[in-house]
C-alpha cells in the first residue's frame, strides 16, 4: 500500500491528471492499485523523500486541489510551506500518472489510441518456440577443448563453428534460458523501457557498477535496469533475444575511418586491420545461416555483395509510403531495413506476425532470429557442445607463458566455484564484461590484466548516440504494422555535409508503445495531463511520424572500462567502473544527422517538425550497442587482439564479440559481431588455439 494516510487526496490528484472522459479516470483504471504494488520497493524512497512531504504540503494548501492549483505548483521551484520543490512534486506525479495510464499492460488507454500488441497477420506455420535445457555449473566436466563465456551473438556463432569442427565446447552464460512465457511483456519493465525492471538478466540485486561521469562525482549504480548501469541483456541469446534485429553490414569506408577523415584531436580514431572485402564472405554466411530478410540492391554506398538476402523484406507500412515521397523530393535513396527475422516461415519456425511489441521483447512466434534459436541449438545438436547457465566466469587462467588454460566460474545460485580446464578460452561477454574479465584475470606475471601490457584493455568504449525527428501530419501515418521500422536511407552514413565525420543510417521507428509515445514523441509544448493531455495523445498518436538513427561515434581513449576494487558484487568480485564521454566530433555529427532527419520529415509533408525531447549531449550511450574495449589491430602497443580476435601475448585466448570493433559503424553492429565471430572461430577451429 502507498505509505500515505489520506488516500482520498492521492486519488483526487491522480484523477485530475487522468480525468474521466470517454475513457475512465486514473482511479477507475486501477492506477492507485498499481501504485500500491510499487510503493514498498520501487517507490519507497520516492514516497519518503518527495511524495509524502509533497502531499502533506498540498493538503495544507487545499483539501480539494484543482487544475489551477496544480498549474501554479508546476511553475514554482519553491513555495512557502513546502519542504520539497512543488515543481518537482508535480512533475513526478504527472510522470507516475502517465506510466500508470499508458504503460500498464492492456491499459484502457490503448484502444483509444488505436494501439494493440497483437499480431496483424498469420504466422504462416505452426508456432514452435525453441526450448533449450541447459545444465548447471555443478554438472559440467573438469575439462573441455574450448570454453566460451557468454551465449550471445558472438558466443553462439563460436559455439556452432567450433563444435561442428569436432571440438568439445563448454558454452557458459551467467543468465538463464527463458521460455517465451517467462519473458515479461510489461511495458515498464523491459529492455526498451526498463523503468521498473527488465525481462532478462542480470539479477536486480548484488550486481552494482560504478559510473564516473566527467566533471561529476562517480556513483554506485545498484540495479542493472538503471540508465547508467548500461545493461545489455544477460540471458541465453544475449541482446539477440530482445533486439529488433536490424542487420546492416558496415560500409567499406567504415573500415578506414582514419584514412578518410584523419584523426581528430583527443580521439583514437583508427582504421581496421581488415577490409570490407575480408569480411564480406562472413557477412553473407551470417545472413544465410541465421536468416535475414531484406533487399540487397536497395541502398547506395553498400559494398559488393556475393549473394542477396535469403528472404525478401516485409511489406512496407503506411509510414514508409509517406516518408518515401519526402525522400524522393530530396533525392534520397531509400529501401527496406534488413532484419534478422523471418518474413516468411523458415527453418521450421513461423513468420513475423507484425505485432506491436518487438524491440525490447521476446518474439511471440519465435520469428526473431537470434543465437538462442539458430546457432546455439545447432551447436547443441552436434553432441559436442554443452550449455551451462547461471554460471559467471570470474577469471581466465593462464600458464607461465601466458597461454590460456581454463577459467574459474561461480554458480550464482549457490556461490560454489569450479575450475575448468580448457585448451582455449573465447570471451564473448560483451564489451563491458569482456574487458572486466581481462582485467580481473591479472596475475603476478600480468599485474595489469591479460592482454593489457600496453594499457589498452577497456579503452575506446563506444555505443550509439541516436538522434530523432518527429513530425505531425494532417492524416494518419501509423498503421501499427510491426516491427514498425520499414524504410531507411543510408545516404548520410558518410555524407552529412558541414564537414561531419562519419554519419549514420536514418529510418522510421518501431511501433510506439503508448507510454513511450508520451515520453518521446509528444510535441514539446503539448499538454501532458488533464483532459487536454489525454486528448493531445489520442489526437497525435496515429498522426505522428518518427525518423531516427545512430551516429558513428568517434572513439576516445579515456572513454573506458576499468575496475572499481572498492565496490564488490554479491560474490566478492570487483565491479566495473565506466567513465568518459562522447568526443565533441560525435556530438557535432549527431546534430548534423538530426538536421538531415528533420529535413526528410518536413519534405514528407509534416505540418510541424520537432527534435529529441532532450538536447544532444556528450553523455555515454554504451548499453545495447557497446563495443571497442578490446580492439583488434596488428600492433600490440595500440590494440588488444590480432585481426582475428586472438589476444596479443596469450596463446589460446580469444575475443569474439563487439569488443573487437575499432569503430562501431553508423548502423546497428550485430551483423558485424556475427561476421567477425564466424571469421575468428573458423581460424581458431583450423589452428586449434
Amino acid at each position: 500500500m502507498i505509505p500515505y494516510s489520506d488516500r482520498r487526496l492521492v486519488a483526487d490528484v491522480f484523477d485530475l491528471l487522468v480525468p474521466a472522459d470517454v475513457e475512465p479516470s486514473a482511479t477507475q483504471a486501477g492506477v492507485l492499485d498499481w501504485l500500491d504494488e510499487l510503493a514498498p520497493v520501487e517507490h519507497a524512497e520516492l514516497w519518503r523523500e518527495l511524495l509524502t512531504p509533497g502531499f502533506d504540503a498540498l493538503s495544507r494548501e487545499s483539501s480539494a486541489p484543482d487544475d489551477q492549483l496544480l498549474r501554479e505548483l508546476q511553475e514554482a521551484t519553491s513555495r512557502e510551506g513546502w519542504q520539497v520543490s512543488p515543481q518537482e512534486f508535480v512533475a513526478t506525479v504527472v510522470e507516475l500518472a502517465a506510466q500508470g495510464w499508458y504503460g500498464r499492460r492492456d491499459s484502457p488507454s490503448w484502444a483509444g489510441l488505436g494501439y494493440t500488441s497483437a499480431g496483424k497477420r498469420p504466422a504462416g506455420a505452426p508456432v514452435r518456440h525453441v526450448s533449450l535445457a541447459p545444465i548447471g555449473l555443478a554438472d559440467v566436466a573438469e575439462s573441455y577443448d574450448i570454453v566460451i563465456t557468454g551465449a550471445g551473438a558472438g558466443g553462439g556463432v563460436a559455439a556452432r563453428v567450433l563444435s561442428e569442427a569436432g571440438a568439445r565446447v563448454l558454452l557458459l552464460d551467467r543468465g538463464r534460458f527463458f521460455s517465451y512465457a517467462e519473458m515479461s511483456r510489461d511495458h515498464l519493465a523491459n529492455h526498451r523501457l526498463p523503468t521498473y525492471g527488465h525481462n532478462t538478466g542480470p539479477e536486480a540485486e548484488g550486481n552494482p557498477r560504478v559510473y564516473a561521469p566527467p566533471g561529476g562525482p562517480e556513483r554506485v549504480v545498484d540495479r542493472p535496469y538503471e540508465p547508467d548501469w548500461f545493461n545489455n541483456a544477460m540471458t541465453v541469446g544475449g541482446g539477440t533475444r530482445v533486439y529488433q534485429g536490424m542487420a546492416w553490414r558496415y560500409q567499406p569506408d567504415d573500415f578506414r575511418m582514419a584514412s578518410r577523415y584523419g584523426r581528430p584531436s583527443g580521439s583514437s580514431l583508427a582504421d581496421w586491420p581488415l577490409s570490407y572485402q575480408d569480411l564480406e564472405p562472413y557477412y553473407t554466411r551470417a545472413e544465410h545461416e541465421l536468416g535475414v530478410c531484406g533487399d540487397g540492391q536497395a541502398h547506395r554506398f553498400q559494398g559488393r555483395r556475393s549473394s542477396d538476402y535469403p528472404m525478401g523484406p516485409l511489406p512496407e507500412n503506411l509510414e514508409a509510403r509517406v516518408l518515401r515521397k519526402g525522400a524522393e523530393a530530396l533525392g534520397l535513396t531509400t529501401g527496406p531495413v534488413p532484419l534478422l527475422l523471418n518474413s516468411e516461415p523458415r527453418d521450421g519456425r513461423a513468420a513475423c506476425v507484425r505485432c506491436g511489441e518487438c524491440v525490447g521483447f521476446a518474439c511471440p512466434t519465435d520469428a526473431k532470429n537470434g543465437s538462442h534459436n539458430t546457432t546455439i541449438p545447432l551447436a547443441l545438436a552436434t553432441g559436442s557442445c554443452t550449455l551451462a547457465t547461471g554460471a559467471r566466469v570470474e577469471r581466465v587462467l593462464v600458464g607461465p607463458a601466458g597461454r590460456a588454460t581454463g577459467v574459474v566460474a561461480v554458480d550464482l545460485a549457490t556461490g560454489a566455484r569450479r575450475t575448468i580446464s580448457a585448451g582455449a578460452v573465447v570471451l564473448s561477454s560483451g564489451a563491458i564484461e569482456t574487458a572486466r574479465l581481462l582485467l580481473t584475470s591479472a596475475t603476478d606475471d600480468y599485474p595489469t590484466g591479460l592482454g593489457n601490457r600496453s594499457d589498452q584493455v577497456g579503452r575506446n568504449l563506444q555505443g550509439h548516440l541516436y538522434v530523432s525527428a518527429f513530425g505531425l501530419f494532417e492524416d494518419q501515418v501509423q498503421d501499427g504494422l510491426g516491427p514498425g521500422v520499414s524504410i531507411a536511407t543510408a545516404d548520410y552514413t558518410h555524407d552529412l555535409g558541414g564537414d561531419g565525420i562519419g554519419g549514420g543510417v536514418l529510418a522510421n521507428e518501431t511501433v510506439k508503445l503508448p507510454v513511450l509515445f508520451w515520453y518521446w514523441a509528444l510535441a514539446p509544448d503539448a499538454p501532458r495531463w488533464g483532459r487536454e493531455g489525454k486528448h493531445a495523445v489520442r489526437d497525435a498518436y496515429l498522426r505522428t511520424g518518427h525518423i531516427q538513427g545512430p551516429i558513428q561515434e568517434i572513439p576516445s581513449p579515456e572513454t573506458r572500462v576499468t575496475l572499481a576494487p572498492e565496490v564488490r558484487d554479491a560474490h566478492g568480485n570487483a565491479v566495473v567502473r565506466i567513465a568518459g564521454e562522447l568526443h565533441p566530433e560525435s556530438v557535432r555529427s549527431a546534430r548534423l544527422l538530426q538536421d538531415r532527419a528533420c529535413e526528410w520529415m518536413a519534405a514528407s509533408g509534416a505540418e510541424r517538425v520537432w527534435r529529441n525531447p532532450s538536447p544532444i549531449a556528450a553523455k555515454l550511450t554504451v548499453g545495447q550497442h557497446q563495443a571497442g574495449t578490446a580492439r583488434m589491430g596488428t600492433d600490440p602497443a595500440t590494440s588488444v587482439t590480432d585481426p582475428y580476435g586472438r589476444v596479443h601475448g596469450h596463446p589460446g585466448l580469444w575475443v569474439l564479440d563487439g569488443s573487437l570493433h575499432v569503430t562501431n559503424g553508423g548502423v546497428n553492429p550485430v551483423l558485424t559481431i556475427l561476421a567477425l565471430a564466424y571469421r575468428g572461430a573458423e581460424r581458431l577451429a583450423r589452428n586449434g588455439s
Side-chain angles (χ1 to χ4, degrees), residues 211-216 579-581 618:
Y211 175 51
E581 61 183 341

Side-chain angles (χ1 to χ4, degrees), residues 157-369:
V157 165
R160 178 186 179 181
V161 171
L162 295 166
S163 60
E164 287 182 345
R168 293 178 61 248
V169 174
L170 175 62
L171 178 60
L172 291 171
D173 200 279
R174 66 181 291 173
R176 296 173 48 207
F177 173 76
F178 292 97
S179 69
Y180 174 71
E182 292 176 303
M183 299 280 288
S184 168
R185 296 170 65 205
D186 188 334
H187 283 204
L188 294 165
N190 60 79
H191 278 270
R192 185 65 159 170
L193 186 63
T195 307
Y196 299 118
H198 49 236
N199 45 359
T200 62
E203 303 76 16
E205 305 300 329
N207 289 295
R209 283 178 173 174
V210 172
Y211 175 51
E218 63 182 45
R219 64 185 183 87
V220 176
V221 184
D222 287 312
R223 295 179 180 174
Y225 53 87
E226 294 182 61
D228 295 333
W229 203 90
F230 303 114
N231 185 28
N232 199 0
M234 295 186 184
T235 180
V236 175
T240 72
R241 193 70 201 273
V242 290
Y243 66 0
Q244 180 179 218
M246 284 196 189
W248 295 100
R249 297 180 176 201
Y250 286 1
Q251 294 185 10
D253 274 2
D254 292 340
F255 296 93
R256 47 183 187 245
M257 290 285 288
S259 293
R260 173 156 181 168
Y261 296 103
R263 178 176 293 176
S265 175
S267 81
S268 50
L269 190 64
D271 291 345
W272 289 57
L274 52 79
S275 69
Y276 171 85
Q277 289 304 322
D278 293 326
L279 207 53
E280 198 282 333
Y282 302 101
Y283 276 138
T284 297
R285 185 174 180 183
E287 290 163 352
H288 283 258
E289 293 193 357
L290 277 82
V292 175
C293 69
D295 178 356
Q297 308 306 314
H299 295 284
R300 285 197 294 177
F301 308 123
Q302 303 297 293
R304 181 195 63 82
R305 300 182 61 91
S306 57
S307 177
D308 205 342
Y309 297 111
M311 294 176 285
L314 288 169
E316 65 183 10
N317 59 17
L318 174 60
E319 187 177 31
R321 295 194 290 274
V322 172
L323 292 176
R324 186 187 303 104
K325 294 178 182 178
E328 290 171 351
L330 294 173
L332 298 177
T333 306
T334 59
V337 176
L339 296 167
L340 277 152
L341 58 78
N342 291 342
S343 60
E344 59 193 49
R346 187 174 191 266
D347 292 339
R349 290 185 290 111
C352 169
V353 294
R354 314 204 70 173
C355 73
E357 294 170 340
C358 187
V359 60
F361 300 91
C363 179
T365 60
D366 213 19
K368 193 184 297 186
N369 299 323

Side-chain angles (χ1 to χ4, degrees), residues 198 489 583:
H198 49 236
T489 182
H583 190 276

Side-chain angles (χ1 to χ4, degrees), residues 343-415:
S343 60
E344 59 193 49
R346 187 174 191 266
D347 292 339
R349 290 185 290 111
C352 169
V353 294
R354 314 204 70 173
C355 73
E357 294 170 340
C358 187
V359 60
F361 300 91
C363 179
T365 60
D366 213 19
K368 193 184 297 186
N369 299 323
S371 57
H372 65 288
N373 58 8
T374 61
T375 53
I376 293 175
L378 290 169
L380 297 175
T382 67
S384 294
C385 180
T386 299
L387 172 64
T389 58
R392 188 185 192 196
V393 175
E394 295 181 314
R395 296 175 59 85
V396 176
L397 302 175
V398 296
R403 172 175 287 277
T405 61
V407 300
V408 175
V410 61
D411 186 315
L412 296 179
T414 67

Side-chain angles (χ1 to χ4, degrees), residues 10 111 189 249 299 306 308 394 445 447 452 529 571 635 679:
V10 177
R249 297 180 176 201
H299 295 284
S306 57
D308 205 342
E394 295 181 314
D445 292 325
N452 200 33
W529 57 273
H571 295 94
D635 183 356
R679 183 174 183 267

Side-chain angles (χ1 to χ4, degrees), residues 412-470:
L412 296 179
T414 67
R417 288 177 168 83
R418 291 284 308 275
T419 297
I420 303 159
S421 300
V425 175
V426 175
L427 306 184
S428 299
S429 300
I432 293 173
E433 288 296 312
T434 286
R436 180 194 67 81
L437 259 175
L438 290 169
L439 295 170
T440 59
S441 300
T443 69
D444 290 343
D445 292 325
Y446 304 98
T448 60
L450 304 184
N452 200 33
R453 287 199 185 277
S454 300
D455 191 27
Q456 292 299 303
V457 170
R459 294 189 183 274
N460 311 306
L461 178 64
Q462 300 157 66
H464 274 142
L465 170 62
Y466 272 78
V467 299
S468 291
F470 302 90

